[in-house]
Amino acid sequence: MASKKNAKGPVQPAKIENRRARFDYHILEDFEAGIALVGSEVKSIFLGHAHLTDAYCQVIGGELYLLGMDVEPYDKASAFGHDRRRDRKLLMHRQQIDLLQRRAQEKGLTIVPLRVYFNDRGKVKVRIGLARGKATYDKREQIAKDDARREIERSRSFRD
């Protein structure tokens, strides 16, 4: 007897984006970091139940931490779940952490998380960026460009 296959296909892990960071900051350089999580957090992130809206990174005691990331509790976890907004340690090489810390202090830059995703090996990774804040007029320019691009796409779709 043939086995039935799932009609929907394999379940893909969710990618959590911080779209607000690209609007508020000029991203100068980006890095990939691992993240220390508990089991229920991994399952919740896999389902896409995490938010990077207010999150930021900071070097504390020579180690890089992700602060303010909201990971919703996994509903099937035991009574010993996780705290939603606990500080999570990011895993990077010492030289990379030192470089990020120096550049953030010297040039007035900040370290922001851009994306949380699963790599090919099934590990949770965080894409962080070294960023400089945008001025208000830069944001207005970006909004105008996006509006113009949308108008062009609309006019093309009406012609087709």
Side-chain angles (χ1 to χ4, degrees), residues 6 20 45 53 68 70 81 85 90 102 115 123 129 151:
N6 189 355
R20 187 76 191 174
I45 289 171
T53 310
D70 183 27
R85 289 188 171 264
L90 295 179
R102 272 195 316 262
R115 211 173 113 190
K123 306 286 184 189
E151 281 298 319

Side-chain angles (χ1 to χ4, degrees), residues 1 3 6 12 18 33 37 50 58 60 102 104 119 130 143 152:
M1 187 168 177
S3 63
N6 189 355
Q12 295 293 322
N18 187 357
L37 298 171
Q58 191 171 16
I60 302 170
R102 272 195 316 262
N119 69 357
L130 197 58
I143 292 170
I152 291 169

Side-chain angles (χ1 to χ4, degrees), residues 9 30 35 56 63 76 84 90 97 107 123 135 157:
D30 64 338
I35 184 168
Y56 63 98
E63 295 179 342
K76 296 178 180 81
R84 284 181 75 122
L90 295 179
I97 294 172
K107 300 182 180 178
K123 306 286 184 189
S157 66

Side-chain angles (χ1 to χ4, degrees), residues 55 57 79 81 111:
C57 299
I111 308 167

Side-chain angles (χ1 to χ4, degrees), residues 45-57:
I45 289 171
F46 186 88
L47 297 173
H49 298 169
H51 310 284
L52 289 173
T53 310
D54 299 329
Y56 63 98
C57 299

